[in-house]
Amino acid sequence: MKRNQKTKTIALFSMFLAIELLLVLTPLGYIRTPFLSITVMHIPVIAAGILMGPSYGAALGLVFGLTSVWNATMSPTITSFCFSPFVTIGGVSGNWTSLIIAIVPRVLLGWIAGTLFNAFNKKLNRPLSALVSGVLATLCHTIMVLGLIALLWGPQYAQAIGQSPDTLLMYLALVVLTNGIFEMIAAGIVSMALAKAIKPSMVSNQGSTNS
């Protein structure tokens, strides 16, 4: 029985991993905008965290982070120096802090999604817990990425997008209210649907499993 459960867990994680790689290799993963990409890469990470637990979410988040570095390196935009130490854009070169922005929030995204779901699932039903966790985890991810950009690359990022450093925080807040809202809604809906479709018995999760 335990071996069968482990096989199901590996199969489900492999499916999420395949989806993540498919997204980064096609235009579906990143919807290009002039300064930042709208992404759906966060959705498999959140789903893994919710359905399989924080550790699986963090593991898939690491894949998300590494593909973010790869994407910024191979298909750079004017702000890709924030996400890759291997590019120079407009005379600004990325460095090791670019890896922090690209990877750390993505690892934490999966962990936060799983942790929130385990907490909410003790009080709410499973689909609603997944919906709320997906929305909140996405919000945390967006704030972490943009916050680190402002902290580590604020002046350079402002110059690249043609903004004054004094108005950068206002601009980033607007990004949260535009790009971020779309990403939160998408993550919440998909997470809720998967929580309904995939029963707790199909995966190994440390959290509570209220129906």
Side-chain angles (χ1 to χ4, degrees):
M1 187 68 178
K2 287 184 178 180
R3 179 176 297 178
N4 187 43
Q5 187 77 22
K6 185 176 180 180
T7 300
K8 290 179 180 179
T9 301
I10 293 174
L12 185 61
F13 184 79
S14 298
M15 181 189 72
F16 285 134
L17 177 60
I19 293 172
E20 193 78 359
L21 295 176
L22 176 64
L23 289 175
V24 77
L25 294 173
T26 66
L28 299 175
Y30 293 93
I31 303 171
R32 295 285 187 174
T33 65
F35 306 130
L36 281 174
S37 297
I38 301 174
T39 183
V40 295
M41 296 284 293
H42 64 299
I43 295 178
V45 176
I46 290 172
I50 288 173
L51 296 173
M52 307 181 70
S55 59
Y56 284 97
L60 199 62
L62 176 60
V63 175
F64 178 15
L66 293 175
T67 61
S68 179
V69 177
W70 183 86
N71 182 67
T73 304
M74 303 304 296
S75 302
T77 65
I78 60 173
T79 58
S80 288
F81 57 82
C82 293
F83 301 95
S84 171
F86 309 113
V87 297
T88 299
I89 308 293
V92 181
S93 299
N95 57 37
W96 64 272
T97 63
S98 306
L99 296 177
I100 294 177
I101 297 173
I103 296 174
V104 173
R106 280 63 193 265
V107 173
L108 291 176
L109 167 67
W111 183 85
I112 289 171
T115 301
L116 287 175
F117 177 76
N118 288 342
F120 284 123
N121 204 32
K122 295 175 182 177
K123 301 292 184 180
L124 306 175
N125 64 54
R126 182 176 171 83
L128 183 57
S129 298
L131 171 65
V132 175
S133 300
V135 170
L136 291 180
T138 304
L139 177 61
C140 290
H141 170 253
T142 302
I143 292 174
M144 284 188 292
V145 171
L146 297 181
L148 285 172
I149 288 175
L151 178 64
L152 300 174
W153 290 98
Q156 297 91 337
Y157 183 84
Q159 181 179 8
I161 64 174
Q163 291 284 325
S164 166
D166 295 334
T167 62
L168 180 60
L169 290 180
M170 185 180 300
Y171 170 82
L172 294 177
L174 182 62
V175 172
V176 174
L177 294 175
T178 52
N179 298 16
I181 291 295
F182 168 80
E183 293 175 359
M184 283 186 278
I185 292 173
I189 292 174
V190 173
S191 297
M192 180 174 63
L194 288 174
K196 286 184 177 181
I198 300 177
K199 302 302 180 184
S201 58
M202 296 178 63
V203 293
S204 177
N205 194 329
Q206 297 298 318
S208 174
T209 53
N210 293 343
S211 60

